[in-house]
Amino acid sequence: MRLILAFDVFGTLLDTSSFPQEIRRKQLELTWVYTVMEKFVPFREITRQAIRDYLLVNEGKEEELMNSWLNLKAYPDVKFLGDISALADVFALSNGSVEEVKDHLRRNGILGFFKGIVSAEEVRAYKPSPRVYKHFMESVGYPAFLVSSNWFDLMGARNAGMGTIYLNRRMEKLALEVDVIARDLEKLAQYLREKA
């Protein structure tokens, strides 16, 4: 049985550091608030709302910022997804819509490494809701591991019964138990080769 890996996209495969971090924080906060309220708003609209909130106190143009979000660049180590996809079944698991994620992955030349994309929008809730991770496992299979650089994502996956792989890009300590820690995708590919 091949290992199933669910890759978070924003912040794990795509570098969000070029995007204003105040907007990114607001974007995440809005997903959490809407999920707790059990109200669904599409991720693209949440992104636009976060940009508008940011522009209330900062000068700038909404469409330029939205375009910046829609054109995020992948981390250089995504080239190791080829090695990883030879060792495991690779999927994307994202708050973004399937089409948005597909566009990002295609634009960065990595779409071909993925067997599929599962969106939180399919359950009308956002990560770290357990519904998102359970939906992934029910759709794709067990056992599955989430690969993420985001602590809240790892916490949500573990809570829902998924394995967790912390992609520790910033070399930060994480006060959360995870199954595997890898510095980057090259190290993750190396780990998977050793375990094969």
Side-chain angles (χ1 to χ4, degrees):
M1 176 188 291
R2 281 173 59 94
L3 189 62
I4 297 170
L5 298 179
F7 279 84
D8 170 59
V9 175
F10 302 114
T12 301
L13 298 177
L14 302 180
D15 186 355
T16 59
S17 66
S18 64
F19 193 66
Q21 292 308 291
E22 296 92 338
I23 298 175
R24 179 68 175 140
R25 273 192 299 278
K26 177 60 82 169
Q27 182 191 51
L28 291 173
E29 289 169 4
L30 287 168
T31 63
W32 298 335
V33 169
Y34 283 128
T35 296
V36 169
M37 293 189 316
E38 297 183 1
K39 179 178 179 183
F40 181 75
V41 174
F43 191 66
R44 189 168 291 213
E45 184 53 37
I46 284 175
T47 302
R48 197 168 287 285
Q49 185 177 345
I51 289 170
R52 287 178 183 148
D53 285 356
Y54 174 79
L55 290 176
L56 288 175
V57 290
N58 296 281
E59 300 228 358
K61 295 182 179 166
E62 183 177 333
E63 289 311 312
E64 283 178 18
L65 288 167
M66 193 67 184
N67 192 49
S68 172
W69 175 258
L70 296 175
N71 287 285
L72 293 172
K73 301 289 181 229
Y75 285 101
D77 65 336
V78 297
K79 63 187 176 190
F80 291 100
L81 283 170
D83 297 338
I84 293 168
S85 66
L87 299 162
D89 290 338
V90 173
F91 293 84
L93 176 60
S94 179
N95 279 338
S97 71
V98 170
E99 281 309 310
E100 179 181 356
V101 171
K102 192 180 286 185
D103 288 345
H104 278 291
L105 300 179
R106 184 183 301 115
R107 192 176 303 109
N108 282 283
I110 55 176
L111 179 61
F113 298 128
F114 292 84
K115 288 191 80 163
I117 298 167
V118 177
S119 171
E121 292 190 352
E122 294 165 23
V123 294
R124 301 180 66 79
Y126 291 106
K127 299 189 283 181
S129 168
R131 291 177 13 213
V132 176
Y133 309 99
K134 288 178 180 176
H135 171 67
F136 177 86
M137 291 184 287
E138 289 163 3
S139 301
V140 175
Y142 299 86
F145 287 78
L146 176 76
V147 181
S148 183
S149 295
N150 298 306
W151 65 269
F152 66 88
D153 203 3
L154 294 163
M155 200 170 185
R158 189 164 190 84
N159 176 59
M162 263 182 113
T164 50
I165 299 173
Y166 179 33
L167 202 63
N168 190 0
R169 293 193 173 284
R170 294 174 293 279
M171 296 303 290
E172 297 173 333
K173 293 192 178 187
L174 186 66
L176 171 68
E177 190 176 325
V178 294
D179 296 299
V180 177
I181 298 174
R183 169 73 175 98
D184 54 29
L185 293 175
E186 180 180 14
K187 296 293 186 202
L188 179 57
Q190 181 182 340
Y191 171 82
L192 293 173
R193 275 193 298 273
E194 290 168 1
K195 292 294 178 184

